[in-house]
């Protein structure tokens, strides 16, 4: 059975990789739209031989249209392409934040629409091609099976997210992944500031164990001074961190950790109160 021809608008880090994955699964990728020099390079690298066309021409060439454009541009792109889509054409977008509503102009002219978000960080390099991940889907019941098949074709595990829950879904991913990047870079900066030449080597085994244990055991994985109720150590940490941004991050996350440790029964209210006081005392130094 022949598979539907696919067109991709946006050969960024996500669009180019999804195109390569679909192509590897047998879907004919018939056209791609790429504007910047970086996008053109990715199109040539990940989708060699695929014509680079204007977005309207990509719409006309495809039965499945993938809009892999930035979140804040998606509504405008949908409005721009609405006069050119066909009834029954399937249009997917790769935004985490948005559900189907952002594609309403396309649905109004008869297109089938769905959110198709790979829950993965993309580098725009070959390492992305084989990474498995969840695909956060928002679709109609009628399109559910088709969109799930596409998710599986790119090596993803389909997970359905209600339209009303898309922003919370995306916030959870950003908080759990993007903010980790900030925290780890701050930790590496602290180690560099005391002369550690390779801070990643110091942190990697600890961080890997922490992430693995947290995903398996939740709050029970917590270790460190908050879990032990070591208020003096927490105060010393805050007082010793010279960088104001790092100190603010440490204080905010310690405060949140205190409440989680208290709720989980790791510490009692007396220890929690001492730890809160330690954060305040450390900040005043």
């Amino acid at each position: 059975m022949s598979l539907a021809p696919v067109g991709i608008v946006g050969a960024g880090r996500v669009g180019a990789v999804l195109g390569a994955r679909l192509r590897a699964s047998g879907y004919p990728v018939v056209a791609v739209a790429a504007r910047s020099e970086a996008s053109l390079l990715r199109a040539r690298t990940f989708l060699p031989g695929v014509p680079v066309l204007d977005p309207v021409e990509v719409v006309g060439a495809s039965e499945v249209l993938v809009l892999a454009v930035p979140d804040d541009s998606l509504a405008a792109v949908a409005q721009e392409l609405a006069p050119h889509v066909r009834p029954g054409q399937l249009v997917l977008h790769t935004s985490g934040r948005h559900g189907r509503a952002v594609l309403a102009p396309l649905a109004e002219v008869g297109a089938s629409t769905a959110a198709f978000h790979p829950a993965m960080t993309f580098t725009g390099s070959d390492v992305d091609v084989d990474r498995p991940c969840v695909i956060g889907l928002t679709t109609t019941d009628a399109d559910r099976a088709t969109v799930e098949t596409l998710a599986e074709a790119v090596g993803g595990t389909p997970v359905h997210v209600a339209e009303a829950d898309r922003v919370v879904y995306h916030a959870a991913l950003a908080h759990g992944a993007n903010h980790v990047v900030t925290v780890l870079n701050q930790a590496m900066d602290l180690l560099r500031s005391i002369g550690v030449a390779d801070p990643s080597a110091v942190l990697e085994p600890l961080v890997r164990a922490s992430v693995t244990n947290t995903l398996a055991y939740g709050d029970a994985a917590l270790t460190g001074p908050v879990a032990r109720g070591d208020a003096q150590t927490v105060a010393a940490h805050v007082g010793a961190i010279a960088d104001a941004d790092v100190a603010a991050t440490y204080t905010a996350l310690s405060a949140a950790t205190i409440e989680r440790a208290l709720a989980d029964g790791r510490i009692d209210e007396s220890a929690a109160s001492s730890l809160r006081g330690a954060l305040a005392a450390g900040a005043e130094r």
Side-chain angles (χ1 to χ4, degrees):
M1 183 175 64
S2 61
L3 298 175
V6 176
I8 298 170
V9 173
R13 295 179 180 184
V14 177
V17 170
L18 288 182
R21 290 188 181 193
L22 286 166
R23 202 181 196 189
S25 294
Y27 283 85
V29 178
V30 294
V32 60
R35 292 177 176 171
S36 71
E37 287 300 319
S39 293
L40 288 168
L41 177 60
R42 278 189 289 266
R44 290 193 293 267
T45 301
F46 287 98
L47 299 168
V50 174
V52 178
L53 305 177
D54 180 88
V56 171
E57 295 177 304
V58 176
V59 174
S62 61
E63 292 181 19
V64 175
L65 179 66
V66 179
L67 304 182
V69 300
D71 288 7
D72 290 353
S73 303
L74 184 55
V77 171
Q79 192 70 50
E80 176 187 345
L81 297 180
H84 308 284
V85 301
R86 304 180 299 279
Q89 190 169 20
L90 176 59
V91 183
L92 314 175
H93 73 69
T94 61
S95 167
R97 169 192 168 192
H98 293 290
R100 295 180 58 243
V102 72
L103 300 182
L106 307 177
E108 287 169 4
V109 295
S112 297
T113 60
F116 191 92
H117 174 249
M120 176 53 64
T121 179
F122 286 83
T123 65
S125 66
D126 290 345
V127 300
D128 299 330
V129 175
D130 297 319
R131 279 178 171 169
C133 67
V134 159
I135 308 290
L137 306 178
T138 302
T139 184
T140 63
D141 290 341
D143 295 322
R144 183 182 182 110
T146 299
V147 177
E148 285 182 348
T149 297
L150 287 165
E152 292 163 357
V154 299
T157 301
V159 170
H160 290 269
V161 181
E163 181 81 24
D165 295 333
R166 290 296 300 198
V167 176
V168 173
Y169 156 80
H170 195 227
L173 300 184
H175 191 44
N178 303 153
H179 295 170
V180 167
V181 175
T182 298
V183 170
L184 288 179
N185 276 307
Q186 287 184 343
M188 288 193 288
D189 287 345
L190 285 177
L191 290 170
R192 289 189 192 97
S193 75
I194 60 170
V196 175
D198 188 0
S200 63
V202 175
L203 288 170
E204 183 174 5
L206 175 64
V207 170
R208 286 189 183 277
S210 180
V211 169
T212 299
N213 290 343
T214 301
L215 293 175
Y217 305 115
D219 285 316
L222 181 64
T223 62
V226 169
R228 295 190 297 267
D230 290 343
Q232 293 181 16
T233 297
V234 169
H237 286 178
V238 180
I241 298 172
D243 186 293
D245 288 338
V246 179
T249 303
Y250 182 98
T251 299
L253 291 177
S254 293
T257 303
I258 291 166
E259 302 312 315
R260 293 195 71 91
L262 178 61
D264 193 51
R266 307 297 300 280
I267 57 176
D268 59 21
E269 181 56 50
S270 176
S273 180
S274 295
L275 288 162
R276 294 186 198 105
L279 289 176
E284 292 173 357
R285 293 185 180 182

